[in-house]
Amino acid sequence: MTENCIFCKIVRGEIPSRRVYEDDDLIVFHDIHPAAPVHLLMVPREHFANLDAAEPRHERLLGKMQLLAPRLAREQGATNGYRVVTNNGPDGGQEVYHLHVHVLGGPRPWKRL
Ligand code: AMP
Ligand code: ZN
């Protein structure tokens, strides 16, 4: 499962990314197809598909990402608001099945979302 996961490969450094933050739990990098002037992806180092697969032990990690979003949005220049989004499943528009949190911001209009 994790061998072919693109975000696991990015976590392992096998695929390049423009990282802006990392710690023991997660990495954050620029989305390759930005939908807004600032578009970051917060990706746990641990592979799990989405919120459906999240367990009680992930509570701290999920909260950490929510609390990190405003800081990274501001550092990247989204000073007038931002959006924090997790897509889940086909109708949720999820493309990569390794849980991640989008942080979108910067002056509108945005391309999508
Ligand atoms: P989602 O639709 O929520 O699964 O979002 C997946 C996101 O990953 C999309 O916004 C893609 O543009 C982004 N993405 C896919 N491959 C890469 C990559 N190699 N580096 C950075 N972002 C990527
Ligand atoms: Zn993965």
Side-chain angles (χ1 to χ4, degrees):
M1 179 72 179
T2 65
E3 262 119 74
N4 294 319
C5 170
I6 188 159
F7 285 176
C8 282
K9 288 182 180 175
I10 289 174
V11 166
R12 291 195 297 259
E14 295 166 13
I15 291 177
S17 67
R18 292 169 55 214
R19 286 190 194 198
V20 300
Y21 175 88
E22 63 184 300
D23 64 24
D24 288 348
D25 299 312
L26 61 105
I27 68 170
V28 183
F29 53 89
H30 289 277
D31 195 292
I32 203 164
H33 294 127
V38 174
H39 189 169
L40 303 175
L41 298 175
M42 314 178 81
V43 177
R45 291 185 186 275
E46 179 189 341
H47 179 100
F48 57 103
N50 53 30
L51 290 175
D52 294 312
E55 298 173 10
R57 67 190 174 83
H58 293 120
E59 184 173 341
R60 189 185 62 84
L61 168 70
L62 294 169
K64 182 178 191 174
M65 290 194 287
Q66 296 292 309
L67 292 172
L68 190 57
R71 177 186 138 193
L72 296 182
R74 193 170 53 244
E75 284 178 6
Q76 294 300 316
T79 54
N80 195 39
Y82 54 90
R83 184 175 283 188
V84 182
V85 177
T86 297
N87 298 326
N88 295 277
D91 287 350
Q94 186 174 10
E95 292 172 7
V96 177
Y97 279 75
H98 178 135
L99 180 124
H100 54 282
V101 178
H102 297 255
V103 180
L104 302 120
R108 289 187 179 259
W110 297 352
K111 283 189 202 147
R112 60 181 201 269
L113 290 171

